[in-house]
Amino acid sequence: MRGTCRTMCLTRPENEPRNPVPADDSFFMMQKALQLLEESVKAAMRQRDGSPAVSGQPVLERFTAPLGEVDATRWLSAQRLFPRLFWMNREKSEWIAGIGEADRIEISETGPNDRSFLVLDEAMQRKNPHARYIGGFCFNNLQKQNDLWKAFSPGLFILPLVSVEYRDGQASMSCSMWLKPGDDRQKALEQLLLTLSEVSAGDAPEAPAIPEVTQVAYCPDKTRWIENCETILRNFDEGKLDKVILARQTELSFAGKVPAIRFLLDYPFPENTAYRFYFEPAEGHAFVSFTPERLYRRDGDMLETEALAGTVTKEALKADDSAASELLLNSEKDIREHRFVKDTIYRELQPVCSDIDMQEQVGVLQLNRLAHLLARCKARLLPEFSNDSTVLRQLHPTPAVGGVPREKAMSLILSIEPFCRGWYAAPVGWLSRDAAEFAVGIRSALVNDDKVYLYSGAGLVRGSNPESEWEEVDQKIGDIMAITQQTS
């Protein structure tokens, strides 16, 4: 059964702010919003109607207060309620910072990713259309997830208990309560009120700095990497494969526990055209991705996706944006690599979409250190396929993180890579019943107490050079390495 939604918004407080003079405007607005939310919850406690025990179906109660311009990452870093979550789109026009858990959708069993996507979609049909869940999947649920990823289920999506959001040009603070039939509404409201009283307005001490790196290790090491690349190149020569994405895990050891939130706070290139995804289900265990790659955006039956592949490293070549574009657009190897992605996406969408508009002229996406070939695509999902399980099944993994042909490439990756990809290169993002946006979780890090594991990959096609691909991976993790003060 689909849950109903009861929303309450207040625009001014009934009393003065809870605390005296604020430290700055952002802090003051957060204080005021928290007071408004408390007043909303108190007002709801005085209402005895709408109990899920009476209505017989789940109820989402959501309370919202307006905000002006605020620093959401600073607010998030001040919180001690977990999970801590953050999402920002590439255009920086939409973001959400969330803490706590009003509801969750968790997929714990192993099996094909297609099954996980279907389970998620079935669960979402029972949720309220206004509820927006944040989370992700593992790259390949046929691979046994190892202890490094123990805090991350094969699929996990969280409806935050308290969130600060920016959407449609407006910022707000909200708290959510998901009540199932039989739940005690008054007790749930009392608990929500208690939680709000413990939420910081952003005045907690700054998170400590990242400790010193004591050791760097690679899995695979460079010798094994070259051997793996040569194995893949032989498959190309034998006509078995056209493209494979080979990834590397870089393990950083630190002198003490790493405050994961610093990766979000200290991202050195805020103007980069990249998504920011942060998921910390338990303190000290977080997955963070600064990815340039959209998997898709869905609004109803309208779909936006893209082909992103082919790379030049501007620093290594001492190239500016113009020179990088020229190099990419005249590189036979990169054009061929990108065409595999573009053609595959078009082919995968044909059975489930109409009006597919794939950009003919390939453009270039400029980042701080890198540039990539890009072609955007818009399509309309057919009525029977207007759901996220269909889109996820058709698009993941794209040839930009898997390979061509898909199944053979996935099988080879599983057999040749000596580590577990976990959530790296998997769909990460948010979804509601009627809309969703997923990015591809590349350029990413897994934080586990005093260790951080960096993940990135390189696209191998016929003619690829293993040494160059190793250097490309170094460039792709450069932004995250800069946060650890290993590079500038």
Side-chain angles (χ1 to χ4, degrees):
M1 275 179 286
R2 297 179 178 180
T4 59
C5 182
R6 305 174 71 229
T7 302
M8 183 176 291
C9 304
L10 293 183
T11 57
R12 64 176 185 272
E14 296 176 5
N15 305 300
E16 290 302 310
R18 300 182 298 179
N19 297 314
V21 182
D24 55 36
D25 288 345
S26 178
F27 174 62
F28 173 76
M29 282 187 289
M30 292 291 192
Q31 276 189 315
K32 189 174 181 179
L34 281 167
Q35 184 195 6
L36 288 169
L37 291 180
E38 287 181 352
E39 295 298 334
S40 294
V41 174
K42 288 175 182 176
M45 291 173 71
R46 293 191 291 268
Q47 299 172 354
R48 297 289 175 173
D49 62 316
S51 168
V54 175
S55 65
Q57 59 181 327
V59 172
L60 172 67
E61 294 204 41
R62 185 172 171 84
F63 309 92
T64 300
L67 286 172
E69 185 175 344
V70 294
D71 188 339
T73 55
R74 174 185 167 187
W75 174 81
L76 187 65
S77 71
Q79 309 308 317
R80 293 297 172 262
L81 181 62
F82 294 88
R84 296 194 294 191
L85 320 166
F86 185 81
W87 161 271
M88 179 184 282
N89 66 2
R90 271 190 320 207
E91 298 76 22
K92 303 169 184 64
S93 61
E94 189 169 284
W95 49 257
I96 178 171
I99 57 174
E101 181 181 309
D103 188 31
R104 71 161 47 196
I105 302 169
E106 185 170 14
I107 300 160
S108 55
E109 66 270 15
T110 58
N113 279 66
D114 288 1
R115 174 60 186 163
S116 299
F117 301 153
L118 184 60
V119 169
L120 174 68
D121 206 56
E122 290 172 345
M124 286 304 299
Q125 296 310 309
R126 298 189 294 271
K127 303 301 182 183
N128 187 277
H130 300 281
R132 181 176 289 206
Y133 291 74
I134 303 167
F137 296 95
C138 65
F139 176 76
N140 186 350
N141 202 22
L142 293 175
Q143 181 178 37
K144 184 179 180 181
Q145 306 302 297
N146 64 15
D147 284 346
L148 294 185
W149 295 95
K150 62 185 177 183
F152 297 84
S153 303
L156 181 57
F157 289 81
I158 301 293
L159 173 65
L161 189 66
V162 182
S163 62
V164 177
E165 304 181 36
Y166 184 81
R167 200 188 317 173
D168 300 325
Q170 298 291 325
S172 63
M173 179 183 280
S174 300
C175 57
S176 298
M177 187 172 68
W178 180 253
L179 294 171
K180 298 182 290 295
D183 287 349
D184 188 319
R185 180 174 179 267
Q186 288 300 112
K187 283 187 178 179
L189 287 167
E190 289 170 7
Q191 181 59 50
L192 183 57
L193 192 63
L194 177 62
T195 299
L196 287 173
S197 71
E198 297 172 349
V199 173
S200 170
D203 56 335
E206 180 107 345
I210 294 175
E212 180 184 358
V213 174
T214 59
Q215 185 176 350
V216 180
Y218 303 102
C219 184
D221 62 18
K222 193 170 183 179
T223 300
R224 176 80 177 274
W225 169 271
I226 291 172
E227 291 173 356
N228 289 345
C229 286
E230 289 172 346
T231 297
I232 291 170
L233 291 171
R234 284 194 296 273
N235 275 270
F236 296 153
D237 292 338
E238 295 166 6
K240 296 177 181 177
L241 289 158
D242 296 313
K243 179 180 180 180
V244 174
I245 306 303
L246 195 61
R248 190 186 81 196
Q249 174 183 277
T250 303
E251 179 183 326
L252 307 180
S253 299
F254 292 83
K257 286 191 176 182
V258 177
I261 197 70
R262 288 249 63 107
F263 284 91
L264 190 60
L265 293 171
D266 298 341
Y267 182 58
F269 306 109
E271 299 309 312
N272 245 2
T273 309
Y275 291 95
R276 297 185 214 179
F277 177 79
Y278 182 87
F279 197 94
E280 188 177 9
E283 186 172 9
H285 302 274
F287 178 74
V288 57
S289 173
F290 303 108
T291 172
E293 186 173 355
R294 166 184 280 167
L295 185 62
Y296 72 91
R297 167 86 187 214
R298 180 182 70 87
D299 289 289
D301 64 353
M302 296 306 300
L303 185 68
E304 295 180 50
T305 185
E306 64 192 29
L308 186 77
T311 305
V312 294
T313 57
K314 290 190 268 190
E315 288 185 334
L317 298 172
K318 295 181 173 58
D320 60 12
D321 288 359
S322 177
S325 294
E326 186 175 353
L327 283 166
L328 266 178
L329 294 169
N330 288 282
S331 165
E332 187 276 335
K333 180 244 181 201
D334 289 297
I335 291 289
R336 179 158 42 93
E337 181 183 346
H338 184 265
R339 189 182 304 118
F340 284 134
V341 179
K342 185 178 176 181
D343 291 349
T344 300
I345 290 173
Y346 185 84
R347 186 169 60 251
E348 296 289 354
L349 291 181
Q350 280 186 315
V352 299
C353 291
S354 62
D355 307 321
I356 302 173
D357 180 15
M358 176 69 80
Q359 185 179 349
E360 283 291 334
Q361 187 170 356
V362 177
V364 177
L365 180 71
Q366 299 287 350
L367 302 173
N368 176 67
R369 300 169 184 268
L370 308 164
H372 302 289
L373 292 172
L374 172 70
R376 303 180 191 275
C377 178
K378 293 185 178 181
R380 184 184 296 275
L381 289 160
L382 296 170
E384 63 270 33
F385 297 121
S386 296
N387 57 72
D388 292 297
S389 63
T390 291
V391 184
L392 288 163
R393 182 181 69 246
Q394 294 301 111
L395 293 181
H396 175 74
T398 72
V401 292
V404 179
R406 178 192 287 183
E407 296 305 324
K408 287 184 178 179
M410 289 286 277
S411 178
L412 185 57
I413 289 168
L414 195 59
S415 67
I416 206 170
E417 285 185 351
F419 62 92
C420 176
R421 286 197 178 191
W423 280 27
Y424 160 68
V428 295
W430 65 266
L431 80 163
S432 63
R433 275 230 313 268
D434 302 322
E437 184 163 14
F438 281 93
V440 181
I442 55 176
R443 319 289 158 83
S444 54
L446 173 68
V447 181
N448 272 341
D449 293 328
D450 62 348
K451 293 186 183 295
V452 175
Y453 302 86
L454 309 184
Y455 297 90
S456 197
L460 300 177
V461 294
R462 190 188 300 269
S464 291
N465 180 290
E467 292 269 359
S468 298
E469 303 298 348
W470 177 272
E471 292 169 5
E472 182 179 307
V473 172
D474 280 340
Q475 290 294 322
K476 287 176 176 177
I477 63 173
D479 289 359
I480 300 182
M481 287 291 285
I483 299 172
T484 69
Q485 301 177 340
Q486 297 308 292
T487 61
S488 59

